């Protein structure tokens, strides 16, 4: 059973740049998957299309049984998305940011509050719940992005370069958190990275992308034995 299935995905940006040249990719349910590649390879474009933040030129994307062309709302319900840029309201309080997000998924208020509490506690942000988000440190903002992405308990968590520019201590604790989520809740994790080390230490399967093409798509074991 695939959590994500991408077929022949192409993206030509409006300036004519072909960022994805017809890529295909499957991610199994329960996998911990890395899309590894250098800057400009097409990683963010791929995740952007999967999470419908970026339009595609052609190709198919299915999230579990839901095609994003025909079942977009259901497809989006399955996903928690952590983009690279902080994009929450800087003046809103931490707790409210997470609860508001739950509202977008139609989660009743009481349940939204409970879920927000659960994830803010897990991510060590509960004592900051009444603080405006702009007053948080960079590391706390990262964790807030993750709490917000998880509030509707998605089956897939997508993270775009989650540890870029993050200090080693926070990087380790984010790795631990993602591992736990994958192992204990069975959440499928898909992340992009340009650190081989990160893909290597965390992920079960890895696809390598460069210049809009998939160069390899394999288990970590096989990949490393071929290097
Ligand atoms: P779409 O095809 O998804 O509608 P566009 O091609 O219109 O996207 O571009 C979206 C935005 O990204 C534009 O404001 C554009 O200026 C900006 N942009 C252009 N080139 C780049 C680039 N190389 N990297 C990141 N953003 C860019
Ligand atoms: P990665 O995430 O692997 O660094 P991206 O998906 O951000 O790569 O970008 C892939 C390619 O598409 C790059 O050459 C980038 O400059 C270009 N690109 C990204 N966004 C836009 C845009 N909005 N308009 C035009 N080109 C873009």
């Amino acid at each position: 059973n695939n959590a994500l299935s991408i077929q022949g995905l192409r993206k030509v940006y409006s300036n004519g740049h072909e960022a994805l040249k017809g890529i295909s990719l499957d991610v199994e349910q329960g996998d911990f998957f890395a899309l590894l590649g250098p800057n400009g390879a097409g990683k963010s474009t791929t995740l952007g299309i999967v999470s419908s933040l970026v339009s595609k030129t052609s190709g198919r994307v299915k999230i579990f049984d839901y095609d994003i062309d025909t079942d977009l709302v259901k497809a989006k319900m399955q996903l928690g998305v952590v983009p690279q840029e902080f994009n929450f309201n800087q003046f809103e309080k931490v707790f409210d940011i997470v609860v508001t997000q739950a509202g977008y998924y139609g989660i009743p208020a009481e349940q939204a509050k409970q879920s927000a509490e659960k994830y803010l506690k897990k991510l060590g942000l509960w004592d900051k719940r009444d603080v405006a988000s702009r007053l948080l440190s960079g590391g706390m903002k990262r964790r807030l992005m993750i709490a917000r992405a998880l509030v509707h308990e998605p089956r897939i968590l997508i993270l775009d370069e989650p540890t870029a520019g993050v200090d080693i201590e926070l990087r380790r604790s984010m790795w631990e958190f993602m591992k736990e989520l994958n192992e204990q809740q069975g959440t499928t994790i898909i992340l992009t990275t340009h650190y081989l080390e990160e893909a290597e230490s965390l992920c079960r399967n890895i696809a390598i992308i460069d210049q809009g093409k998939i160069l390899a798509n394999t288990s970590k074991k096989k990949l490393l034995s071929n290097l």
Side-chain angles (χ1 to χ4, degrees):
N1 197 4
N2 285 332
L4 172 65
S5 171
I6 294 176
Q7 278 171 23
L9 187 62
R10 256 186 101 225
K11 174 65 181 179
V12 182
Y13 280 106
S14 48
N15 65 357
H17 181 75
E18 189 177 13
L20 295 177
K21 298 170 180 165
I23 66 165
S24 297
L25 198 64
D26 289 320
V27 178
E28 275 174 32
Q29 179 166 12
D31 202 357
F32 201 137
F33 187 92
L35 189 57
L36 174 70
N39 282 327
K43 303 183 296 296
S44 295
T45 301
T46 305
L47 293 195
I49 292 170
V50 169
S51 46
S52 56
L53 302 169
V54 175
S55 64
K56 62 184 165 65
T57 302
S58 59
R60 286 187 68 188
V61 176
K62 266 177 82 182
I63 295 160
F64 289 102
D65 288 331
Y66 307 116
D67 192 309
I68 62 166
D69 288 333
T70 52
D71 279 313
L72 182 59
V73 174
K74 282 180 181 152
K76 284 179 89 166
M77 286 292 289
Q78 316 301 317
L79 296 181
V81 181
V82 182
Q84 273 183 57
E85 306 294 324
F86 302 137
N87 60 358
F88 35 67
N89 180 338
Q90 299 282 303
F91 298 95
E92 204 175 2
K93 290 176 181 171
V94 166
F95 187 66
D96 297 340
I97 286 173
V98 181
V99 171
T100 302
Q101 182 76 11
Y104 298 145
Y105 293 97
I107 295 170
E110 207 42 49
Q111 196 186 327
K113 287 181 189 166
Q114 280 172 20
S115 182
E117 180 174 342
K118 171 179 163 184
Y119 286 106
L120 288 173
K121 282 181 172 166
K122 272 183 190 267
L123 286 150
L125 288 171
W126 185 239
D127 60 341
K128 300 285 178 192
R129 61 189 176 278
D130 290 325
V131 173
S133 68
R134 75 194 146 89
L135 299 174
L136 299 180
S137 71
M140 289 175 185
K141 286 178 182 170
R142 292 260 173 191
R143 285 181 276 143
L144 175 56
M145 296 283 285
I146 297 175
R148 187 184 61 173
L150 290 171
V151 71
H152 63 296
E153 311 248 341
R155 288 199 280 169
I156 306 175
L157 181 64
I158 287 187
L159 308 104
D160 196 2
E161 301 263 0
T163 60
V166 166
D167 67 56
I168 187 68
E169 202 175 321
L170 178 60
R171 186 177 298 173
R172 290 227 171 90
S173 79
M174 285 175 67
W175 288 0
E176 270 319 299
F177 179 82
M178 290 188 279
K179 262 189 186 158
E180 220 180 274
L181 191 70
N182 177 249
E183 283 164 14
Q184 295 179 5
Q185 298 197 24
T187 306
T188 304
I189 309 232
I190 302 173
L191 59 78
T192 65
T193 183
H194 57 267
Y195 300 120
L196 177 61
E197 181 207 9
E198 179 160 275
E200 196 187 321
S201 63
L202 267 183
C203 300
R204 214 166 297 135
N205 289 296
I206 298 174
I208 298 177
I209 184 168
D210 191 26
Q211 297 186 25
K213 288 184 186 162
I214 301 287
L215 301 184
N217 186 359
T218 180
S219 73
K220 177 176 70 184
K221 270 189 196 158
K222 281 187 193 159
L223 181 70
L224 295 177
S225 67
N226 286 333
L227 283 181

